Amino acid sequence: VLFEEFEISKTLITPNQLRNQISLFKNKMIDPPAVERKARTILEKTVAKIYKEYQKNLKLNDALDFDDLLTFPLNIFKKKPAILKKYQKRWKYILVDEYQDTNRAQFQFLTNLAKAHENICVVGDDDQSIYGWRGADVSNILNFSEAFGDSKTFKLEQNYRSTQNILDAA
């Protein structure tokens, strides 16, 4: 609908490309005004305009998209610390697998929840970070000890999943 409303040619950008771009912005926690400020080309300005209108339409319809399921609670935590405190009390221990594939919003969400008790355990391998194209930020695992200063790192150097024959064949 927005493509028709703004008379945007699908040769400039397809709905799928636009959806992916908006998702990437949200995963990196970049809001529409920031996208508008940085827009220089016709394509960037078009994406910014649609992103802004898309967010406006979501709000008008009391709706969230998948990426908002992380950013919306973060905004609530910021505006209403009592709600954050409630969830910090509820989850005293946090375990995250495949941490190397978390994005900025996920990092912020986990950091907020773990702040009170600092009982967080993450499992991951920075060499296996494969989702950068969809917003994953390998620096989340590389800089984990900076975010959680008292953390300890345990390296599992032996592969317990595969036998040596399988590894040799690979």
Side-chain angles (χ1 to χ4, degrees):
V1 176
L2 291 175
F3 271 72
E4 294 159 8
E5 185 180 321
F6 290 114
E7 298 176 1
I8 296 166
S9 166
K10 290 179 184 166
T11 58
L12 180 63
I13 187 167
T14 68
N16 250 3
Q17 290 170 322
L18 183 62
R19 184 195 68 221
N20 292 338
Q21 185 61 59
I22 289 172
S23 179
L24 194 62
F25 288 143
K26 289 183 177 192
N27 285 320
K28 292 183 176 188
M29 299 179 66
I30 304 171
D31 62 6
V35 173
E36 278 185 311
R37 282 191 303 275
K38 291 181 180 180
R40 298 289 175 257
T41 67
I42 292 172
L43 176 60
E44 290 170 346
K45 289 176 183 178
T46 301
V47 168
K49 183 170 38 172
I50 291 181
Y51 182 22
K52 181 180 179 179
E53 194 64 26
Y54 173 68
Q55 287 304 107
K56 186 174 128 189
N57 279 300
L58 284 174
K59 189 169 184 151
L60 285 172
N61 290 290
D62 290 324
L64 299 172
D65 65 17
F66 183 77
D67 298 304
D68 291 331
L69 296 176
L70 282 170
T71 56
F72 190 75
L74 285 170
N75 289 328
I76 291 172
F77 292 166
K78 191 183 290 182
K79 291 175 186 170
K80 304 203 180 238
I83 292 174
L84 171 59
K85 221 174 206 41
K86 173 186 171 184
Y87 287 104
Q88 287 173 332
K89 272 185 176 178
R90 185 175 203 171
W91 291 301
K92 293 178 184 161
Y93 301 93
I94 299 170
L95 170 64
V96 182
D97 194 14
E98 301 295 342
Y99 191 72
Q100 75 277 0
D101 292 324
T102 56
N103 61 41
R104 183 170 183 205
Q106 291 165 325
F107 171 79
Q108 290 291 329
F109 187 80
L110 292 166
T111 302
N112 273 278
L113 287 180
K115 217 182 290 181
H117 303 286
E118 292 199 358
N119 293 322
I120 183 168
C121 174
V122 301
V123 179
D125 182 349
D126 57 317
D127 288 332
Q128 292 187 27
S129 182
I130 59 172
Y131 292 107
W133 56 271
R134 71 167 196 209
D137 185 353
V138 74
S139 71
N140 289 344
I141 197 166
L142 295 173
N143 301 326
F144 184 81
S145 60
E146 290 174 24
F148 297 95
D150 257 358
S151 64
K152 293 182 180 115
T153 301
F154 300 92
K155 293 188 178 203
L156 303 177
E157 303 291 343
Q158 185 174 348
N159 186 323
Y160 292 96
R161 287 188 189 170
S162 305
T163 64
Q164 193 58 47
N165 286 341
I166 293 170
L167 293 175
D168 291 343

